[in-house]
Amino acid sequence: MKSQYEIKHPLHLSTMIGMSAYLVGQLLLIYSTFTRNGFNPLFYFVVILLVFSLTITVYLILRRLAKPSEIRMLEKTMNVRGHEVHAKNVDCIMIDGYFQPVVGIRPKGRKIVPVQFTFSFHVSGNDDEAMKALKGWAEQNKIQIYNRKFLRWI
């Protein structure tokens, strides 16, 4: 069984849809505020929020389009994007979704899965094989696997 697979950052579709709706709302607020009152402190505050939201949306898109990185599963450790994770430091592995599942490796003592340990397998025909290898690694190291949504950083 292969122990090295390509991974990508997950597609944060719900976050991008929410940010897009927020951007549209902010643009409407900027337009109505500017046409009624001209430039005022609220106008500048809304523009700052708009730029921040646009930056997050562009960041998510660019990160998803980035070149795939890799995950290596060894006997007692796992190397995810250059970050080594020891099996004894892993609290659980969570899988969110079915068709293109997002995997999160939650370290012990953490409530939210860190960005570097959140990924989806790169679709190249071997994502089922990669998921089986991940589940086998978890079973071998006695790590719980949960199929549910989980908190993660952007």
Side-chain angles (χ1 to χ4, degrees):
M1 183 179 289
K2 206 166 95 169
S3 66
Q4 180 175 337
Y5 300 94
E6 287 187 339
I7 57 174
K8 289 194 85 150
H9 285 282
L11 179 64
H12 292 270
L13 192 58
S14 59
T15 304
M16 290 198 313
I17 290 172
M19 282 294 183
S20 299
Y22 182 73
L23 287 170
V24 169
Q26 292 293 55
L27 286 172
L28 291 173
L29 184 61
I30 287 173
Y31 177 74
S32 67
T33 302
F34 180 71
T35 55
R36 256 187 284 132
N37 304 340
F39 294 105
N40 63 19
L42 176 65
F43 176 80
Y44 294 113
F45 180 70
V46 171
V47 168
I48 290 170
L49 286 177
L50 178 75
V51 169
F52 179 71
S53 302
L54 190 60
T55 303
I56 289 174
T57 305
V58 169
Y59 170 72
L60 289 174
I61 291 170
L62 290 177
R63 194 172 70 176
R64 175 63 180 184
L65 296 175
K67 191 169 78 170
S69 49
E70 63 185 24
I71 181 172
R72 283 193 198 118
M73 291 174 256
L74 304 172
E75 190 173 323
K76 294 285 182 188
T77 61
M78 182 184 297
N79 192 320
V80 183
R81 291 189 189 99
H83 299 279
E84 190 169 295
V85 182
H86 294 279
K88 64 181 179 182
N89 296 333
V90 175
D91 183 30
C92 64
I93 295 176
M94 293 181 276
I95 301 170
D96 179 13
Y98 181 74
F99 291 110
Q100 196 167 26
V102 176
V103 178
I105 301 170
R106 188 170 72 187
K108 287 185 178 177
R110 296 274 186 107
K111 299 278 186 212
I112 298 176
V113 177
V115 173
Q116 66 266 24
F117 300 140
T118 306
F119 58 88
S120 59
F121 289 105
H122 185 61
V123 180
S124 58
N126 66 351
D127 51 344
D128 289 336
E129 177 189 333
M131 194 60 75
K132 286 179 187 174
L134 179 69
K135 289 179 180 179
W137 183 86
E139 186 178 304
Q140 175 186 354
N141 291 297
K142 296 176 180 60
I143 297 172
Q144 290 287 324
I145 295 181
Y146 298 107
N147 291 311
R148 64 177 181 200
K149 292 190 177 291
F150 56 92
L151 289 176
R152 55 188 170 184
W153 293 106
I154 294 177

